[in-house]
């Protein structure tokens, strides 16, 4: 059987981690099975629709490298892939259910439904439609039609018995029909379909074999199964994905940190790192292995390895992944990734000069092993692109030593700094160590004031490399300036 799966978001918001994970598992399943990955726009909610969200959907998937085989822009044999372009089909199939006696017209006014809700709330009785119009006589119906009363089409959910379906992750699921949403609207009076109708009709006609979606859609599934049965169609296989939680056990949301793809992007996260991490949220691949490219994941994915238990989104772990992927970048790639952040912080102009480019090339080896996020590059590299000052002269003084000693140490360093240009780090370290011994201090105490003088901060990339990247002349100037402060 050819596998056909779809990612079917509603363009009513920006793409976020939860959606991306749903898209990813569908994508991986399709690719691992040599199947088809379909993108479908469920844009029936026109009030919350925005063109911007559609664009964001395409951009986000493309950024992650998830390509789709059929979809709104690329077309395909079962299109259109935009629900708002398929309204005639939904109306036709809603009517079909009515004529088959599986759905009915409901003429209730919004006032009546509102009153019903109030009564239910007051009586603390069940909620939902009371099926009033399910039992109208032919004569009553004809009368309402003649008067031109507007109607919606509702699904006839069986009053008794159970609806069963199998979920690939959760196993056999059984719902008492009395607990299923009583007769939900399929087609509104303005001809707009609801999610349930459009979703089922599309999955059928697009020949979807597996529905992989978030667990929050489980309550809709019995309704969908009732509809498939009413139409006499086979329903797709179901696979409801485990929830994604924040560390506090609540559903992942803004409160926990960035969740939208845009935020991750503008904060400089690498797409490969996000994909790698998100794939492991609720799924396992190989024992004892952490790093997977999208292509690896597509090869290794197995639906059987999806977990039942909710997954916890750990920002620290994602940070670790981001760092890992930074280390896989070539120096040129990493320079290109860091550049926009250096520009945004004003350290490099919009048009980098030759000197900027050279300095950046020298800087990358210093940060490659230490960056978790490219957006942190400006903080780590400020001293290379700006003539940093020592904000607080006390920072120049090693613990347990005084200003006079710090001054002496800085003066001594003037003697070995020029050699950094030509000598190896090992040779320099030996030199500095010998000098520190001669001065009766630890190596760290000698290096610390130099680090502060040159980089303006107590934490910096490795000092000799930093001075080499800056140039020894500039370094000497800064050390002299620091000496004057003491
Ligand atoms: N449009 C629904 C959503 O926004 C699709 C749910 C489904 O996959 O059935 O997620
Ligand atoms: Zn009614």
């Amino acid at each position: 059987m050819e596998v056909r799966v779809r990612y079917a978001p509603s363009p009513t918001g920006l793409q976020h981690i939860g959606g991306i994970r749903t898209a990813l598992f569908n994508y991986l399943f399709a690719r691992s099975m040599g199947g088809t990955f379909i993108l479908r726009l469920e844009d029936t909610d026109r009030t919350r629709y925005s063109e911007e969200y559609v664009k964001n959907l395409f951009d986000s998937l493309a950024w992650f490298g998830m390509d789709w085989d059929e979809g709104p822009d690329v077309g395909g044999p079962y299109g259109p892939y935009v629900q708002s372009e398929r309204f005639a089909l939904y109306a036709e199939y809603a009517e079909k259910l009515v004529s088959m006696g599986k759905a009915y017209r409901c003429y209730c006014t919004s006032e009546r439904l509102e009153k019903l809700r109030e009564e239910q709330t007051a009586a603390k009785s069940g909620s939902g439609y009371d099926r009033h119009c399910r039992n109208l006589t032919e004569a009553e119906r004809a009368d309402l039609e003649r008067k031109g009363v507007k109607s919606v089409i509702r699904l006839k959910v069986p009053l008794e018995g159970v609806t069963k379906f199998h979920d690939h992750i959760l196993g056999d699921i059984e719902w008492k029909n009395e607990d299923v949403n009583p007769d939900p609207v399929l087609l509104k009076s303005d001809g707009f379909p609801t999610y349930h109708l459009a979703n089922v009709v599309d999955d059928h006609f697009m020949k979807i074999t597996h529905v992989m979606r978030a667990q929050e859609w489980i309550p809709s599934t019995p309704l969908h199964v009732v509809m498939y049965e009413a139409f006499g169609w086979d329903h797709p296989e179901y696979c409801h994905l485990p929830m994604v939680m924040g560390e506090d056990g609540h559903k992942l949301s803004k409160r926990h940190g960035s969740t939208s793809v845009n935020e991750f992007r503008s904060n400089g996260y690498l797409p490969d790192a996000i994909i790698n991490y998100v794939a492991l949220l609720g799924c396992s691949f190989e024992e004892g292995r952490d790093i997977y490219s999208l292509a690896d994941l597509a090869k290794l994915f197995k639906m059987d390895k999806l977990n039942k238990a909710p997954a916890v989104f750990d920002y620290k772990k994602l940070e670790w992944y981001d760092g890992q992927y930074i280390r896989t970048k070539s120096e040129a790639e990493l320079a290109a990734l860091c550049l926009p952040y250096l520009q945004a912080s004003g350290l490099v102009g919009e048009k980098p000069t030759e000197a900027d480019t050279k300095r950046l090339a020298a800087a990358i080896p210093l940060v490659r092993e230490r960056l978790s996020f490219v957006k942190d590059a400006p903080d780590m590299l400020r001293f290379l692109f700006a003539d940093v000052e020592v904000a607080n002269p006390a920072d120049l003084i090693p613990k347990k030593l005084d200003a006079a000693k710090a001054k002496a140490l800085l003066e001594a360093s003037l003697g070995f700094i020029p050699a950094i240009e030509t000598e190896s780090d090992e040779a320099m370290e030996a030199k500095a160590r010998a000098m520190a011994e001669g001065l009766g201090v630890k190596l760290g105490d000698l290096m610390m004031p130099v680090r502060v003088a040159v980089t303006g901060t107590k934490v910096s990339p490795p000092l000799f490399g930093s001075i080499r990247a800056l140039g020894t002349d500039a370094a000497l100037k800064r050390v002299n300036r620091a000496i004057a402060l003491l």
Side-chain angles (χ1 to χ4, degrees):
M1 176 188 57
E2 194 216 334
V3 163
R4 292 178 56 83
V5 289
R6 79 317 191 258
Y7 177 48
S10 303
T12 53
L14 294 171
Q15 289 297 302
H16 54 86
I17 283 296
I20 290 304
R21 194 189 58 144
T22 301
L24 179 62
F25 285 151
N26 277 286
Y27 172 86
L28 296 178
F29 183 52
R31 292 290 171 265
S32 68
M33 303 292 288
T36 304
F37 176 57
I38 296 152
L39 186 59
R40 180 171 80 218
L41 271 189
E42 299 213 328
D43 61 342
T44 55
D45 180 351
R46 302 305 291 183
T47 53
R48 287 160 60 212
Y49 173 89
S50 156
E51 195 64 48
E52 180 206 340
Y53 299 143
V54 177
K55 192 176 170 303
N56 176 255
L57 165 68
F58 291 158
D59 286 352
S60 300
L61 294 184
W63 186 58
F64 288 120
M66 280 189 260
D67 51 327
W68 49 98
D69 308 305
E70 297 171 24
D73 51 343
V74 296
Y78 306 104
Y81 295 87
V82 179
Q83 289 190 329
S84 59
E85 294 170 21
R86 300 167 67 84
F87 279 7
L89 184 71
Y90 309 133
E92 182 188 338
Y93 278 82
E95 293 295 348
K96 240 176 215 164
L97 284 183
V98 174
S99 60
M100 293 191 292
K102 308 285 188 182
Y104 60 93
R105 293 196 172 278
C106 162
Y107 302 87
C108 293
T109 59
S110 47
E111 290 77 29
R112 177 174 186 275
L113 296 175
E114 183 52 38
K115 209 171 137 232
L116 175 65
R117 257 191 301 272
E118 277 165 20
E119 284 167 6
Q120 286 170 337
T121 314
K124 294 204 171 79
S125 63
S127 63
Y129 183 54
D130 63 356
R131 295 181 157 130
H132 174 262
C133 296
R134 184 164 171 155
N135 306 311
L136 292 179
T137 63
E138 266 321 308
E140 285 169 323
R141 224 181 295 267
D143 185 47
L144 287 158
E145 286 292 335
R146 203 171 35 246
K147 286 185 187 139
V149 179
K150 278 196 184 155
S151 61
V152 301
I153 293 178
R154 289 184 183 272
L155 177 66
K156 266 189 195 171
V157 174
L159 302 176
E160 287 158 5
V162 293
T163 296
K164 294 183 199 169
F165 59 93
H166 180 79
D167 183 276
H168 201 89
I169 299 180
L170 301 167
D172 289 325
I173 297 186
E174 201 175 291
W175 281 62
K176 282 196 198 127
N177 286 329
E178 60 189 81
D179 295 334
V180 175
N181 179 348
D183 300 3
V185 174
L186 300 181
L187 197 71
K188 300 184 206 169
S189 59
D190 56 8
F192 275 58
T194 58
Y195 156 72
H196 303 299
L197 175 66
N199 190 268
V200 164
V201 167
D202 282 354
D203 282 349
H204 175 71
F205 285 106
M206 293 179 182
K207 298 194 165 27
I208 299 303
T209 57
H210 298 75
V211 166
M212 299 171 82
R213 62 184 169 201
Q215 252 176 40
E216 63 207 42
W217 294 99
I218 285 257
S220 295
T221 309
L223 276 180
H224 297 179
V225 172
V226 166
M227 286 166 75
Y228 282 104
E229 282 168 4
F231 279 123
W233 299 337
D234 288 334
H235 64 73
E237 282 188 39
Y238 290 105
C239 176
H240 287 91
L241 304 168
M243 303 267 286
V244 184
M245 312 287 212
E247 309 244 20
D248 58 359
H250 289 284
K251 193 182 157 193
L252 188 69
S253 75
K254 282 196 188 74
R255 287 185 299 128
H256 299 106
S258 304
T259 55
S260 77
V261 175
N262 276 1
E263 282 172 281
F264 285 113
R265 262 182 104 157
S266 60
N267 284 325
Y269 284 71
L270 301 181
D272 322 8
I274 299 179
I275 285 294
N276 193 148
Y277 180 58
V278 166
L280 301 176
L281 287 174
C283 193
S284 48
F285 291 83
E286 282 178 349
E287 203 70 50
R289 174 174 170 190
D290 297 309
I291 303 294
Y292 302 90
S293 68
L294 186 59
D296 295 337
L297 294 167
K299 235 178 276 154
L300 296 168
F301 179 83
K302 288 200 182 62
M303 205 188 251
D304 292 344
K305 293 290 178 95
L306 286 165
N307 308 329
K308 207 185 281 197
V312 176
F313 195 89
D314 178 348
Y315 285 87
K316 275 274 158 233
K317 191 84 214 214
L318 177 57
E319 178 176 337
W320 181 84
Y321 271 103
D322 207 77
Q324 294 302 306
Y325 277 89
I326 283 178
R327 318 235 197 290
T328 68
K329 299 287 170 200
S330 71
E331 289 182 9
E333 282 170 327
L334 193 51
L337 286 166
C338 291
L339 181 61
Y341 294 92
L342 293 163
Q343 289 171 315
S345 54
L347 292 174
V348 173
E350 209 174 308
K351 276 221 179 81
T353 62
E354 210 171 300
D356 288 332
T357 310
K358 247 176 129 172
R359 211 166 282 164
L360 184 56
I364 292 304
L366 296 177
V367 295
R368 199 167 124 149
E369 298 301 320
R370 345 181 88 223
L371 273 180
S372 291
F373 300 115
V374 289
K375 79 156 196 290
D376 295 337
D379 275 351
M380 266 188 211
L381 295 173
R382 181 169 310 276
F383 73 95
L384 278 183
F385 295 89
D387 190 13
V388 292
E389 310 261 351
V390 177
N392 182 5
D395 288 347
L396 291 162
I397 306 168
K399 248 194 241 135
K400 294 198 199 134
L401 302 182
D402 58 15
K405 188 71 182 174
K407 194 168 173 176
L409 294 171
L410 282 171
E411 277 164 352
S413 77
L414 294 172
F416 73 76
I417 286 176
I420 295 174
E421 200 105 53
T422 49
E423 304 224 4
S424 71
D425 284 357
E426 294 72 32
M428 281 314 303
E429 188 173 325
K431 238 190 221 358
R433 199 176 287 284
M435 184 172 285
E437 231 162 81
L439 292 160
V441 294
K442 284 183 270 174
L443 177 63
D445 287 343
L446 172 61
M447 303 293 263
M448 194 276 243
V450 183
R451 183 186 305 278
V452 174
V454 173
T455 70
T457 53
K458 289 188 187 170
V459 197
S460 80
L463 186 56
F464 297 134
S466 297
I467 291 176
R468 217 172 277 124
L470 178 67
T472 47
D473 287 347
L476 288 169
K477 221 158 80 200
R478 290 184 194 181
V479 170
N480 275 313
R481 208 160 57 196
I483 290 171
L485 290 174
L486 290 167

